[in-house]
């Protein structure tokens, strides 16, 4: 696939849903109810679409509550667009529920309304599979993957496991007896991918669902779980403080400035990343899609966005057009296979 280089910057110009049917193996955790969507929130989306000029007004929809990863992407884009005069009036609307599929469903009916952007990514694609949602990414217009974030495999500092292979060998000896945790369903997919790479049936694993990265870290530190998969940004402070030991980075290539070996370099073929994307409603003209795609590229070429990438430890990965279509199809097939292996 082709990964695009963003345009030059002018000198004046920087989640996890619960299971669809049942948790796999001995998965432990509650099921989050579908959040109701307030009429005011939906109204704020449609009102922003009253004009045709995408540079006059834009609503960026974060399909989760404030403070999460999708919300962070939305607000950093808002700042980049406002600071550089790319869009005059930019608002962010939070629309949580069902792993992002509530927001996806609402955006899917905004046919032809180009003044709306939906933040999504691996988690949203996974949620459409988990929930077998009526709306899928086929019902909107994907514009671009912008960045990706990597998971890291961690254990408590006092764990007997010094390497990823130490951990995997103990896990293989009795898969149900070694509990894992993570901050969301994406992390569960990562654990399932490691299980497959290690020759362990994912249906046999014990996965303790945690409500976010902080709760997952506490489950490790209090002994509820013995290992975890979680976003590198969520775990970096605990790793640097010495409370957690990082065994592997789940990335195709080592991350510059990060002294953690990849799972691939240790013999485990793991490539699932937490990528972030933007989509628009369906029913847009080719000219509108081109203009929105260029707006995304212009936004990610600003110094504000570059600063956000550094703060959030995001890795730039720009994919658009036909390459994006192929990428999303590959990712959906990968995620569907993981859920099937988990028995969902």
């Amino acid at each position: 696939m082709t990964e695009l280089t963003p345009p030059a910057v002018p000198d004046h110009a920087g989640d996890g849903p619960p299971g669809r049917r049942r948790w796999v193996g001995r998965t432990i955790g509650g099921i989050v109810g579908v959040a109701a969507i307030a009429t005011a929130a939906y109204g704020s989306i449609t009102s922003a679409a009253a004009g045709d000029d995408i540079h006059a007004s834009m609503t960026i929809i974060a399909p989760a509550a404030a403070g999460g990863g999708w919300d962070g992407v939305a607000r950093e884009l808002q700042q980049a667009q406002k600071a550089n005069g790319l869009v005059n009036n930019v608002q962010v609307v939070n629309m949580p529920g069902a792993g992002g599929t509530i927001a996806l469903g609402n955006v899917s009916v905004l046919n032809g309304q180009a003044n709306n952007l939906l933040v999504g990514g691996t988690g949203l694609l996974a949620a459409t599979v988990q929930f077998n949602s009526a709306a899928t990414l086929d019902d909107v217009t994907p514009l671009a993957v912008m960045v990706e974030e990597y998971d890291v495999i961690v254990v408590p500092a006092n764990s007997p496991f010094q390497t990823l292979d130490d951990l995997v060998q103990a896990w293989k000896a009795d898969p149900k007896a070694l509990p894992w945790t993570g901050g969301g369903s994406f992390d569960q997919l990562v654990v399932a991918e490691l299980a497959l790479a290690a020759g362990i049936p994912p249906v046999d694993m014990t996965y303790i669902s945690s409500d976010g990265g902080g709760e997952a870290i506490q489950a490790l530190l209090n002994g509820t779980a013995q290992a975890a998969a979680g976003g590198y940004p969520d775990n970096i402070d605990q790793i640097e403080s010495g409370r957690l030991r990082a065994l592997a980075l789940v990335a195709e290539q080592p991350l510059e400035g990060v002294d953690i070996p990849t799972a691939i370099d240790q013999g485990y073929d793991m490539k699932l990343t937490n990528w972030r994307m933007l989509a628009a409603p369906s029913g847009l003209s080719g000219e509108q899609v081109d203009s929105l795609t260029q707006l995304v590229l212009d936004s990610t070429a600003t110094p504000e966005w570059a600063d956000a990438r550094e703060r959030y430890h995001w890795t730039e990965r720009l994919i658009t057009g036909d390459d994006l279509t192929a990428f999303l199809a590959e990712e959906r097939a990968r995620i569907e296979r993981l859920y099937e292996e988990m028995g969902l």
Side-chain angles (χ1 to χ4, degrees):
M1 69 188 67
T2 302
E3 295 184 16
L4 304 181
T5 302
V9 183
D11 292 339
H12 62 277
D15 307 38
R20 175 177 47 181
R21 299 187 183 94
R22 60 177 175 82
W23 282 120
V24 60
R26 293 177 56 216
T27 299
I28 304 166
I31 296 180
V32 180
V34 175
I37 301 303
T39 302
Y42 184 79
S44 66
I45 293 176
T46 55
S47 65
D52 293 328
D53 184 4
I54 63 171
H55 298 286
S57 65
M58 181 65 65
T59 294
I60 304 175
I61 301 107
W70 288 333
D71 179 68
V73 169
R75 295 187 188 280
E76 295 297 342
L77 277 171
Q78 178 190 41
Q79 177 61 24
Q81 291 176 358
K82 290 174 63 176
N84 294 277
L86 298 174
V87 182
N88 291 334
N89 179 29
V90 189
Q91 65 171 334
V92 171
V93 172
N94 293 92
M95 189 173 289
T101 59
I102 296 295
L104 176 62
N106 278 309
V107 173
S108 72
V109 300
L110 299 180
N111 190 59
Q113 300 184 32
N115 297 71
N116 297 280
L117 292 174
L118 172 69
V119 178
T122 318
L124 179 56
L125 177 55
T128 65
V129 176
Q130 278 186 297
F131 293 115
N132 194 24
S133 62
T136 71
L137 294 183
D138 291 335
D139 298 307
V140 292
T141 305
L143 298 172
V145 166
M146 302 173 294
V147 293
E148 60 185 0
E149 183 180 299
Y150 303 129
D151 254 21
V152 63
I153 307 297
V154 294
V155 295
N158 61 359
S159 169
F161 308 124
Q162 299 294 320
T163 67
L164 181 60
D165 201 52
D166 290 342
L167 172 63
V168 168
Q169 293 309 314
W171 193 21
K172 290 176 74 172
D174 191 350
K176 294 184 183 297
L178 198 155
W180 285 78
T181 190
S185 63
F186 172 76
D187 300 327
Q188 186 184 19
L189 290 173
V190 170
V191 177
E193 189 174 46
L194 176 58
L196 287 175
I200 299 169
V203 73
D204 290 340
M205 71 188 194
T206 297
Y207 184 85
I208 303 167
S209 75
S210 295
D211 187 15
E215 186 175 304
I217 290 170
Q218 286 305 309
L220 277 181
L221 296 178
N222 66 25
T224 302
Q226 293 187 42
Y232 176 69
D234 293 335
N235 287 272
I236 183 172
D237 290 344
Q238 299 296 327
I239 294 169
E240 292 182 345
S241 71
R243 301 181 75 190
L244 296 180
R245 178 184 303 129
L247 302 183
L249 187 72
V250 183
E252 291 195 46
Q253 301 291 335
L255 191 58
E256 183 178 353
V258 177
D259 188 24
I260 303 172
T262 67
I264 291 176
D265 285 344
Q266 298 178 75
Y268 299 94
D269 188 16
M270 302 177 65
K271 299 177 182 177
L272 190 65
T273 64
N274 197 4
W275 42 267
R276 315 290 190 180
M277 68 169 287
L278 282 177
S282 61
L284 304 181
S285 67
E287 182 179 354
Q288 286 175 311
V289 172
D290 289 345
S291 295
L292 285 168
T293 302
Q294 190 60 51
L295 174 61
V296 175
L297 293 177
D298 290 343
S299 301
T300 59
T302 64
E304 287 76 16
W305 185 256
D307 177 68
R309 288 203 316 269
E310 182 176 352
R311 283 185 284 108
Y312 285 94
H313 302 278
W314 293 333
T315 297
E316 183 175 78
R317 188 177 189 186
L318 291 168
I319 312 174
T320 63
D322 292 341
D323 294 321
L324 177 59
T325 301
F327 173 79
L328 293 177
E330 292 168 4
E331 289 292 280
R332 182 175 181 88
R334 184 203 303 267
I335 290 168
E336 286 177 338
R337 175 176 175 248
L338 288 172
Y339 279 126
E340 288 171 1
E341 293 283 356
M342 289 190 291
L344 295 179

